[in-house]
Amino acid sequence: MRNFFKGKRIISVLLVLTVLFSMSGIMPEKSAEAAAYITREAFVTLVMKELGFTVKADDSYMDAAIRAGIVSKSTFGSKTASSLTKSDAAVVLTNAHEFLYGQTVEDSLLAEIKEKRISDIAKVSKARQIYVVKAYAYGYLKGASNGTYSKNRKFGPSGKITVATAKTLVTMLKDENKRSKIAPDGQLIRTTNLPEFAEFYPYILASFPNDYYDWEFLFMKHTSNGVPRYGTDNWVNLVNYAAPKDFVNFGGEKKIWSIYLGPRRLLTSQQYYDLAAEKWEKNVEKHLELIFNVDYRNIKKDKVWYKQLLDTDIYYGEEESDTIFRLDNYIKKAIENETIVECRKVGVDKSSVYIEAGGQIYIRAYVEYRIVSSKSLERLITSPIIFTQYSYPNFLNVKLGEWRKCYLDVEVGGMYENCGIWQTIINDFYHDDRVVKVP
C-alpha cells in the first residue's frame, strides 16, 4: 500500500509541474533529438556572424539580417523560435551567398535545375522555389539521392536541420571547397571515391556508380601483331581518337563534322557536341527502353512501339531503309521465339560520348534487364531476343528470368535531324574484358 500511495504522489507532482510549465509558456524538450535541431533565429545568428556582422545590446541579429536583406519580415513572421527547415535554410543561404558574391549561376542553368534536377520541387512554395534551386546550384543543399542512374534528387523542403549540420552549412559561405559541385547541366557530381577511368571523363556523376565508367573504350581494344596500340606513339588522343573529356577539342577550331540540318553544315567538335549531345543521350535512353521491353504477344500490333523505335534510328524520316527491313524481320523472329524481355533501369549520360579510331561516335550506357521467355538463347545474326543493327547480341551465360547488368557502347550519328542510333553493341563481357591496363 505504501508503494501505491508513493506512486500516486509522484504522479501528482509531475502533473503540477506540467501545469506550471504550461502556464509559464515553457515546456521541456520532448527528446534529445528535438534539442538537436536548430531554430530559425539561431541559424540566422550563425550566418550573420559568419558574414562579419555584430550587434549592440539593444539590437538582434534577426533585425540586422532584415536590414541587410538576408531575410525579410515575412520570411518567418513571428515564428523565429521554430525549427529551421531545409527551405528556410535555402532562403537564408541563398541571400547570404548573393550578399557576398552576387548571383554566380546563369539563369538558363537555374531553369534547367528547376525543370529536371529537383524531383519534389512542386512541394516547395512558389515563392521559395527559386531559393531552393539556387541553394542547390551554389552547392549548399544537395538533397537526397533518388537511386543509382537517377538524373534528379529529392530536396525534402520540410525536413529539419540539426545544429551540427547548420554549423557546417555556414562554413560553406566562405569556403567554396566545402560546397557540392554540379555538372554543366545541373546534375550533382562527385570528387571522391572516383573510378579508375575517371581521368577520361569531364566529370563523374554522383548517382552513377563506378562500374558505369570503369571499362575500356573501343579505341583501347585495337592491337597490332597481338600488341595493344593504345599508349604507343602512333595511337594518340585527339589525333587517332578522343576520350569523352576531349571530344569537344577533337580537331581544334577546324570544322570537321558534316551534318544535315536542312542544308548540310560543317561544325567544329564543340559546336557538334553542343548541338547533338543531349539528343544523343535522349535517343539512346529511349531506344534502349524500347528494345529491352518486348512482349511477343503484342509486338506486332504495337504501332506506338514500332514508330518510336524508328524515330530513334539514324534513318529517321526515310520511308524505305535497311532498319525497317531488319525491324520487320526481328518482329517475325521474336514472335516465333516467344520473346519476352523486361528492363527496369537504363542509365545514359552525354558526358560519356567519345570518338573511336575510325571517327565513329559512341555513348556509354547501362541496362538492367532480364529475358523472361525465349525458346532459344543462341547467338544468331538476326537476334530473336533484342533488336540491334549490330551483328548480334553477345550474351554470356544468360539464364531465363535472371536480372542482368549490361554495359553498352551505342554508336550514334548526326546526319539527320534526330541524331539517331547507328547500332547498339550488346556484349555482356565487354565490361570485364581488358586489353590494356590504365596507369
Side-chain angles (χ1 to χ4, degrees):
M1 291 293 291
R2 283 181 296 178
N3 288 337
F4 170 76
F5 286 111
K6 183 177 180 181
K8 288 183 67 177
R9 286 197 297 272
I10 292 172
I11 292 171
S12 298
V13 170
L14 290 173
L15 287 172
V16 171
L17 287 172
T18 301
V19 171
L20 289 173
F21 277 125
S22 179
M23 292 175 61
S24 65
I26 303 172
M27 290 296 292
E29 291 285 353
K30 292 181 180 180
S31 66
E33 183 181 10
Y37 295 126
I38 194 167
T39 67
R40 291 163 163 174
E41 185 166 11
F43 184 68
V44 171
T45 298
L46 288 177
V47 170
M48 295 303 286
K49 288 181 177 179
E50 183 71 11
L51 296 180
F53 283 81
T54 58
V55 297
K56 296 180 181 179
D58 59 345
D59 198 4
S60 72
Y61 280 103
M62 184 63 75
D63 289 335
I66 292 173
R67 291 194 298 270
I70 305 302
V71 294
S72 68
K73 290 182 178 181
S74 62
T75 302
F76 304 128
S78 61
K79 298 180 179 180
T80 58
S82 298
S83 295
L84 182 81
T85 65
K86 290 182 180 179
S87 67
D88 292 335
V91 174
V92 178
L93 290 168
T94 295
N95 286 335
H97 178 95
E98 294 184 353
F99 177 86
L100 291 172
Y101 314 109
Q103 181 174 313
T104 55
V105 172
E106 296 292 332
D107 288 338
S108 58
L109 178 55
L110 295 176
E112 186 164 14
I113 291 172
K114 182 180 179 181
E115 179 186 355
K116 301 177 181 178
R117 306 308 174 201
I118 302 176
S119 60
D120 57 348
I121 191 67
K123 293 183 178 180
V124 182
S125 67
K126 289 186 178 180
R128 288 192 169 188
Q129 285 181 3
I130 186 60
Y131 294 102
V132 167
V133 169
K134 284 185 174 182
Y136 172 88
Y138 293 153
Y140 295 101
L141 298 168
K142 61 185 180 182
S145 173
N146 278 323
T148 56
Y149 297 103
S150 59
K151 294 298 184 77
N152 54 31
R153 298 178 67 82
K154 184 183 296 183
F155 186 78
S158 61
K160 297 177 182 179
I161 292 179
T162 65
V163 173
T165 298
K167 290 179 178 178
T168 300
L169 290 172
V170 170
T171 63
M172 294 179 185
L173 285 167
K174 293 185 177 179
D175 190 346
E176 185 178 358
N177 292 327
K178 292 184 178 181
R179 301 176 211 155
S180 58
K181 305 294 187 296
I182 61 173
D185 65 356
Q187 293 188 80
L188 187 71
I189 64 177
R190 55 189 163 94
T191 56
T192 59
N193 188 31
L194 296 176
E196 178 186 358
F197 279 46
E199 64 181 281
F200 295 96
Y201 297 90
Y203 49 80
I204 303 299
L205 293 174
S207 67
F208 279 46
N210 284 352
D211 278 352
Y212 176 81
Y213 302 100
D214 271 341
W215 53 297
E216 289 181 343
F217 301 95
L218 290 176
F219 58 74
M220 293 178 171
K221 295 182 178 294
H222 295 266
T223 59
S224 177
N225 296 323
V227 179
R229 301 185 69 182
Y230 176 79
T232 62
D233 292 339
N234 63 346
W235 206 250
V236 183
N237 189 30
L238 291 178
V239 176
N240 303 103
Y241 60 88
K245 71 173 183 179
D246 299 311
F247 183 102
V248 297
N249 297 317
F250 191 74
E253 297 300 317
K254 294 181 180 179
K255 294 184 176 182
I256 59 175
W257 300 102
S258 175
I259 69 167
Y260 182 80
L261 287 173
R264 190 164 294 281
R265 293 174 57 190
L266 287 175
L267 301 177
T268 65
S269 292
Q270 179 72 69
Q271 292 170 332
Y272 194 22
Y273 183 89
D274 292 343
L275 176 70
E278 190 167 343
K279 291 183 179 180
W280 287 329
E281 179 186 291
K282 289 180 178 179
N283 269 329
V284 169
E285 185 173 23
K286 184 65 177 177
H287 187 83
L288 294 177
E289 288 173 351
L290 291 168
I291 67 174
F292 280 92
N293 281 290
V294 173
D295 190 328
Y296 76 95
R297 293 167 295 188
N298 56 31
I299 190 173
K300 192 170 184 177
K301 59 185 178 182
D302 193 343
K303 304 302 181 184
V304 174
W305 180 90
Y306 190 92
K307 182 181 184 304
Q308 288 181 341
L309 189 54
L310 288 180
D311 286 350
T312 63
D313 188 79
I314 188 65
Y315 292 108
Y316 168 78
E318 291 192 355
E319 293 183 0
E320 296 182 5
S321 72
D322 182 59
T323 301
I324 292 177
F325 171 78
R326 284 174 173 265
L327 183 55
D328 289 343
N329 192 30
Y330 164 77
I331 291 173
K332 179 182 176 182
K333 289 181 175 293
I335 294 172
E336 293 172 352
N337 187 56
E338 297 184 0
T339 298
I340 301 177
V341 183
E342 296 177 351
C343 169
R344 63 184 179 190
K345 187 169 288 188
V346 172
V348 186
D349 189 71
K350 56 185 175 291
S351 65
S352 68
V353 175
Y354 72 94
I355 301 172
E356 165 62 334
Q360 303 94 336
I361 299 173
Y362 288 88
I363 185 170
R364 320 219 87 168
Y366 165 85
V367 176
E368 189 172 355
Y369 74 98
R370 66 175 177 176
I371 302 172
V372 180
S373 170
S374 179
K375 286 184 177 180
S376 173
L377 295 175
E378 293 182 10
R379 188 173 71 183
L380 301 172
I381 291 178
T382 300
S383 170
I385 303 174
I386 297 174
F387 173 73
T388 175
Q389 295 276 34
Y390 190 64
S391 55
Y392 44 74
N394 204 343
F395 302 116
L396 185 66
N397 301 322
V398 65
K399 298 177 182 178
L400 289 179
E402 174 192 28
W403 284 104
R404 298 175 66 82
K405 297 179 179 180
C406 184
Y407 300 89
L408 315 173
D409 270 326
V410 182
E411 185 179 356
V412 296
M415 293 195 304
Y416 294 84
E417 290 183 1
N418 76 326
C419 296
I421 312 305
W422 273 107
Q423 59 181 352
T424 303
I425 302 178
I426 305 171
N427 280 305
D428 279 14
F429 62 84
Y430 260 19
H431 188 270
D432 301 314
D433 182 33
R434 298 286 292 269
V435 176
V436 300
K437 295 291 184 181
V438 178

